[in-house]
Amino acid sequence: MNLYIRYFDQEVLVKNADEAVAFLSEIEEVGMNPMLERDIREYVGSNVIYPKRYKVRPRVYFIIIKTEAETMEDFKEKKAVRPAAPAPKQELPALVRLNEERFGWYEGALDFKRVAIVPGTNKFQYRDTHFVARCKAISGMDCYNRIVDHLSERVDPRSQFPSAKGKNFKFTFLGLCK
């Protein structure tokens, strides 16, 4: 593993921490000290692969990048770039899943603001309420509509229901029904 170090227009590709410390010691503005040297050696010895930036003064930094490149030309042409890790398999966006038609049993969880009376004062307040129900539905959106219809008949009409597309509604397809 080699190290690319740059401070403004001064740059070098070195093979180890000793050479890196020697290069940075030559730059007066960097102000090499035992703490900085120890930190650079720890960075070089660690498994961390992202670049490290060190502050010299306000808005002025030098950077150290770990690389597999053997020469400065290879580094500049990005010949030693690590292959990108394969992207994790992404599931369908929530909006697509919400409208996907699959007739069966769904479990829907809804967090909404329910209007409740405060005992003794006859005043009303909003209370966060979590509601979970299982129902037969055609899609996640149908499940949401059935839950909201059910709750609208049973709670104060001033209660506030979240959007089906938001984070306060979650659903799970449980399986087909006969």
Side-chain angles (χ1 to χ4, degrees):
M1 178 80 49
N2 294 325
L3 305 166
Y4 170 77
I5 305 170
R6 187 180 73 220
Y7 178 71
F8 287 107
D9 61 344
Q10 300 175 33
E11 60 185 3
V12 70
L13 190 69
V14 297
K15 304 225 180 274
N16 56 41
D18 294 331
E19 291 177 22
V21 170
F23 171 75
L24 292 167
S25 296
E26 293 172 6
I27 304 172
E28 232 179 84
E29 291 180 26
V30 170
M32 183 57 70
N33 59 46
M35 282 180 39
L36 180 59
E37 181 179 345
R38 182 172 24 96
D39 193 53
I40 290 170
R41 290 183 189 282
E42 285 176 6
Y43 170 71
V44 172
S46 70
N47 292 334
V48 175
I49 58 171
Y50 56 83
K52 182 96 174 190
R53 190 172 75 157
Y54 291 92
K55 189 173 192 174
V56 174
R57 61 179 189 270
R59 296 188 304 268
V60 176
Y61 300 87
F62 71 86
I63 189 168
I64 301 177
I65 301 173
K66 290 182 178 180
T67 180
E68 298 290 331
E70 291 299 321
T71 65
M72 184 67 81
E73 184 180 302
D74 288 349
F75 179 78
K76 295 286 185 171
E77 292 178 10
K78 299 182 179 174
K79 289 183 179 176
V81 176
R82 286 184 185 84
K89 185 180 177 185
Q90 295 179 356
E91 47 182 70
L92 295 172
L95 192 56
V96 172
R97 284 185 39 242
L98 190 62
N99 294 316
E100 180 183 32
E101 290 194 10
R102 287 174 68 187
F103 182 70
W105 285 98
Y106 285 83
E107 180 175 90
L110 185 71
D111 295 323
F112 69 102
K113 302 277 187 191
R114 180 175 54 95
V115 173
I117 191 166
V118 176
T121 63
N122 289 337
K123 293 186 179 182
F124 295 90
Q125 70 179 18
Y126 286 103
R127 292 217 175 117
D128 290 330
T129 306
H130 181 73
F131 183 80
V132 178
R134 290 183 177 178
C135 61
K136 284 184 185 178
I138 298 171
S139 65
M141 189 67 188
D142 186 37
C143 174
Y144 169 82
N145 290 334
R146 288 174 184 263
I147 290 172
V148 170
D149 289 345
H150 174 81
L151 290 172
S152 326
E153 297 171 4
R154 290 165 176 77
V155 296
D156 192 292
R158 295 172 288 184
S159 297
Q160 299 174 355
F161 299 104
S163 166
K165 301 171 189 170
K167 64 180 182 181
N168 291 324
F169 173 67
K170 293 180 178 48
F171 68 94
T172 306
F173 180 72
L174 300 176
L176 298 173
C177 59
K178 297 181 181 184

